[in-house]
Amino acid sequence: MPEGGFLYKNTPHEVANQIEADDRHGVERAIRYAFEYAVKFNRKKVTLVAKTNVLRFAHNLWQRAFDDVRKEYPAIEPTTTTSMPARCTW
């Protein structure tokens, strides 16, 4: 459901805008898939990479859902980070 667009596209003054819309059901489904994958393939950790400091509402939902779902998987170590550039380079 992303919405957005461009202003002054392909110019030095270009602006891009995008709105993220997430629902709890879909977020939990994705998070639960990650934990199930970890169990199936003997992984020890699942990490949520979220920009809760910037995307204060949508990624707050992801963080809260992650905190709830992780309780169902005590054998998996949950970790979170807000440093997306750092995660992309590891």
Side-chain angles (χ1 to χ4, degrees):
M1 287 192 299
E3 295 180 27
F6 297 97
L7 295 173
Y8 315 113
K9 191 172 184 176
N10 297 320
T11 73
H13 305 288
E14 183 172 359
V15 176
N17 180 20
Q18 188 160 358
I19 298 169
E20 179 177 339
D22 301 325
D23 66 85
R24 179 75 183 218
H25 175 76
V27 167
E28 282 189 12
R29 185 173 167 213
I31 292 169
R32 194 164 277 109
Y33 177 86
F35 277 95
E36 288 296 327
Y37 183 94
V39 169
K40 183 177 180 179
F41 292 99
N42 276 337
R43 304 292 178 144
K44 294 178 177 28
K45 294 181 182 181
V46 170
T47 301
L48 173 68
V49 180
K51 295 291 289 179
T52 53
N53 58 333
V54 176
L55 300 168
R56 296 184 346 229
F57 303 111
H59 284 202
N60 179 275
L61 169 60
W62 280 84
Q63 183 66 62
R64 289 182 290 112
F66 185 81
D67 291 342
D68 290 344
V69 171
R70 75 184 195 182
K71 295 172 189 169
E72 300 171 26
Y73 300 89
I76 305 296
E77 179 185 346
T79 60
T80 60
T81 182
T82 58
S83 179
M84 200 160 310
R87 270 298 181 207
C88 293
T89 59
W90 289 342

